[in-house]
């Protein structure tokens, strides 16, 4: 408005001195009229003075999309908000492991560079790998007040739990009927124990069965033993008994 008024006043002086044309004066008047119309339009939208924008919830500003004094069009975003109680950590998981993850699985989240970890819960698992990384996105809900937006972390997700004995794969044998068993050294005598394999990870298995907790497992030559055979320990201090 101030610029349009100044232009009109200057043009009128120039016209009076025969230094501007009537068309230039008409253009200056039109500029002032357009400025007034634009001002009324802004005022009808609430731009008659300063306004306070209040978030509908307790939030953190994560992005400012407009600078002070800028003119923005209706519907344009001004800022992005993140709810303090709605933060999630997005992690990437290799596809072969992502298939075992489901919403509701528990997780332990650790900040990069920090030793502490907090509990979280999976809220979303993607159904396809992201191009570029080849990883499947998984979102983990974070407890309020523990993290700030933009922080980086890593997560250990528990997909299921099994309770049993962790043994080397070499300890597990299969008899002629297809049943799995292990051989323990009980008082230097071979003792066959039927077991069930609950889980496997690399060269280790989790098994369940009536094992004697204090008796060592026979690893070397165990397939040559049967119940009641005497065992000679080649190295009594070794982790597994050897025939």
């Amino acid at each position: 408005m101030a610029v349009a008024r100044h232009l009109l006043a200057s043009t009128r002086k120039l016209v009076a001195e025969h230094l501007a044309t009537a068309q230039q004066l008409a253009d200056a008047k039109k500029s002032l009229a357009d400025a007034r119309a634009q001002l009324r339009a802004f005022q009808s939208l609430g731009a008659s003075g300063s306004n306070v924008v209040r978030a509908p919830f307790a939030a953190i500003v994560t992005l400012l999309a407009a600078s002070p004094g800028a003119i923005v069009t209706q519907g344009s975003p001004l800022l992005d908000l993140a709810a303090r109680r709605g933060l999630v950590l997005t992690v990437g998981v290799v596809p072969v492991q992502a298939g075992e993850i489901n919403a509701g699985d528990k997780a332990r989240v650790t900040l990069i560079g920090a030793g502490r970890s907090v509990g979280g819960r999976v809220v979303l698992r993607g159904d396809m790998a992201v191009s570029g990384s080849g990883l499947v996105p998984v979102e983990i809900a974070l407890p309020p007040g523990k993290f700030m937006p933009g922080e980086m972390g890593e997560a250990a997700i528990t997909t299921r739990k099994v309770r049993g004995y962790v043994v080397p794969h070499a300890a597990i044998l299969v008899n002629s009927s297809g049943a799995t068993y292990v051989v323990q050294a009980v008082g230097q005598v071979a003792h066959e124990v039927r077991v069930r394999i609950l889980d496997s990870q690399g060269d280790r298995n989790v098994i369940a069965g009536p094992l004697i907790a204090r008796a060592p497992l026979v690893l070397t030559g165990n397939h040559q033993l049967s119940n009641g055979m005497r065992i000679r320990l080649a190295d009594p201090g070794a982790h597994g008994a050897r025939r």
Side-chain angles (χ1 to χ4, degrees), residues 62-152:
T62 59
L63 175 67
L64 283 174
S67 58
I71 298 177
V72 295
T73 58
Q74 185 176 2
S76 298
L78 301 179
L79 48 84
D80 288 346
L81 301 177
R84 291 180 178 272
R85 292 184 173 273
L87 296 181
V88 297
L89 174 69
T90 301
V91 298
V93 182
V94 294
V96 69
Q97 295 178 339
E100 301 178 6
I101 299 175
N102 295 289
D105 287 344
K106 293 182 179 180
R108 295 297 301 179
V109 178
T110 304
L111 283 176
I112 300 298
R116 65 181 179 89
S117 65
V118 298
R121 191 173 295 275
V122 174
V123 294
L124 179 67
R125 186 210 69 199
D127 290 329
M128 62 179 294
V130 176
S131 60
S133 68
L135 302 177
V136 178
V138 175
E139 292 187 358
I140 301 172
L142 301 175
K146 300 295 184 180
F147 298 92
M148 294 187 297
E151 285 189 293
M152 299 181 66

Side-chain angles (χ1 to χ4, degrees), residues 9-48:
S10 298
T11 305
R12 281 174 173 167
K13 288 182 180 180
L14 293 174
V15 169
E17 297 174 0
H18 303 287
L19 297 176
T21 65
Q23 182 60 47
Q24 289 175 313
L25 179 60
D27 291 342
K29 290 180 179 179
K30 184 177 184 305
S31 296
L32 180 59
D34 291 343
R36 285 173 175 166
Q38 189 173 17
L39 178 60
R40 286 194 295 270
F42 284 146
Q43 290 174 340
S44 67
L45 296 175
S48 57

Side-chain angles (χ1 to χ4, degrees), residues 75-235:
S76 298
L78 301 179
L79 48 84
D80 288 346
L81 301 177
R84 291 180 178 272
R85 292 184 173 273
L87 296 181
V88 297
L89 174 69
T90 301
V91 298
V93 182
V94 294
V96 69
Q97 295 178 339
E100 301 178 6
I101 299 175
N102 295 289
D105 287 344
K106 293 182 179 180
R108 295 297 301 179
V109 178
T110 304
L111 283 176
I112 300 298
R116 65 181 179 89
S117 65
V118 298
R121 191 173 295 275
V122 174
V123 294
L124 179 67
R125 186 210 69 199
D127 290 329
M128 62 179 294
V130 176
S131 60
S133 68
L135 302 177
V136 178
V138 175
E139 292 187 358
I140 301 172
L142 301 175
K146 300 295 184 180
F147 298 92
M148 294 187 297
E151 285 189 293
M152 299 181 66
E154 57 185 8
I157 302 172
T158 302
T159 56
R160 62 192 179 99
K161 288 185 178 181
V162 292
R163 185 180 296 273
Y165 296 94
V166 180
V167 301
H169 183 69
I172 299 176
L173 302 170
V174 180
N175 61 21
S176 57
S177 62
T180 53
Y181 70 99
V182 297
V183 178
Q184 290 188 278
V186 182
Q188 295 188 343
V189 175
H191 179 64
E192 293 183 3
V193 182
R194 294 283 185 92
V195 296
R196 292 181 296 109
I197 299 177
L198 304 178
D199 198 7
S200 300
Q201 187 70 36
D203 62 348
R204 293 184 176 273
N205 297 91
V206 181
I207 62 174
L211 279 78
I212 300 173
R214 293 181 178 273
L217 290 172
V218 180
L219 302 181
T220 303
N222 51 1
H223 62 284
Q224 299 174 344
L225 297 174
S226 58
N227 267 326
M229 292 183 65
R230 297 288 298 176
I231 297 175
R232 178 177 60 84
L233 299 181
D235 183 3

